């Protein structure tokens, strides 16, 4: 999703968030919701639907807490291609999935922090690497302003 924001834009999003990406889009949606407009409830809808998905997994989690099952966390017995028939191969796949998830978390963390500092998405930044003067701090982000309020602006000015 973080890279797709640089490449694609759905119709209608420009009227809500303009060209904002990542934390900028988040800030714009929160600003719209806090303005009292009943037309924009994006964040409330996300909370509702994610909450419903979490509630659907509650019975399985309760079984695990009671010790009624030997199911591992995250194992919902979804294996339509039969990868878990061979226990050795299944253990290898589980390890690969854990490592892939950890690497993805590190990657998205880096992209978000980079966006907070520069105001550019990953593809936009990579396409402008020779132009080092384009790497100015993103001072208009609400998150950056809140983070820097106690200490003042410590970001270096490159331009």
């Amino acid at each position: 999703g973080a890279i797709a924001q640089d490449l694609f834009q759905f119709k209608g999003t420009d009227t809500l968030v303009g060209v904002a990406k990542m934390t900028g889009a988040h800030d714009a949606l929160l600003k719209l919701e806090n303005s009292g407009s009943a037309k924009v409830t994006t964040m409330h809808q996300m909370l509702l639907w994610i909450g419903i998905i979490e509630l659907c997994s509650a019975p399985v989690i309760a079984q695990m807490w009671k010790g009624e099952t030997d199911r591992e966390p995250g194992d919902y017995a979804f294996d339509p291609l039969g990868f878990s028939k061979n226990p050795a191969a299944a253990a290898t796949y589980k390890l690969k999935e854990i490592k892939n998830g950890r690497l993805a978390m590190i990657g998205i963390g880096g992209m978000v922090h980079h966006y907070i500092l520069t105001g550019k998405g990953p593809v936009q930044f990579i396409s402008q690497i020779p132009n080092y003067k384009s790497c100015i701090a993103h001072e208009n982000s609400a998150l950056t302003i809140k983070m820097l309020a106690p200490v003042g602006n410590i970001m270096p000015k490159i331009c």
Side-chain angles (χ1 to χ4, degrees):
I3 294 174
Q5 293 177 36
D6 278 350
L7 303 174
F8 309 107
Q9 188 171 15
F10 292 111
K11 290 182 181 180
T13 58
D14 55 343
T15 59
L16 289 175
V17 297
V19 295
K21 300 174 182 110
M22 293 192 191
T23 59
H26 174 265
D27 294 344
L29 288 171
L30 282 179
K31 186 176 180 182
L32 283 172
E33 284 202 24
N34 292 334
S35 69
S37 172
K39 295 179 182 178
V40 180
T41 58
T42 307
M43 297 300 187
H44 289 95
Q45 286 182 27
M46 286 175 40
L47 179 63
L48 171 74
W49 294 112
I50 291 171
I52 289 172
I53 291 170
E54 290 292 325
L55 284 174
C56 290
S57 66
V60 178
I61 294 171
Q63 283 180 343
M64 247 178 32
W65 283 340
K66 293 177 185 176
E68 297 172 355
T69 181
D70 60 347
R71 185 187 72 82
E72 293 180 7
D75 181 13
Y76 292 99
F78 180 74
D79 188 14
L81 300 176
F83 286 122
S84 63
K85 289 180 182 175
N86 180 351
T92 302
Y93 290 135
K94 286 179 187 178
L95 180 62
K96 288 178 181 179
E97 182 65 24
I98 288 171
K99 288 183 176 184
N100 179 53
R102 289 176 180 163
L103 185 60
M105 287 187 281
I106 291 169
I108 192 66
M111 285 186 233
V112 168
H113 282 88
H114 184 271
Y115 178 79
I116 290 170
L117 294 174
T118 67
K120 297 180 187 315
V123 175
Q124 184 183 10
F125 177 74
I126 288 173
S127 67
Q128 297 175 350
I129 283 181
N131 182 7
Y132 293 109
K133 291 186 177 185
S134 69
C135 302
I136 60 172
H138 187 49
E139 297 173 357
N140 297 328
S141 169
L143 185 58
T144 305
I145 292 169
K146 288 178 184 176
M147 284 177 17
L148 296 178
V151 295
N153 193 350
I154 57 173
M155 299 295 191
K157 295 284 186 184
I158 297 176
C159 295

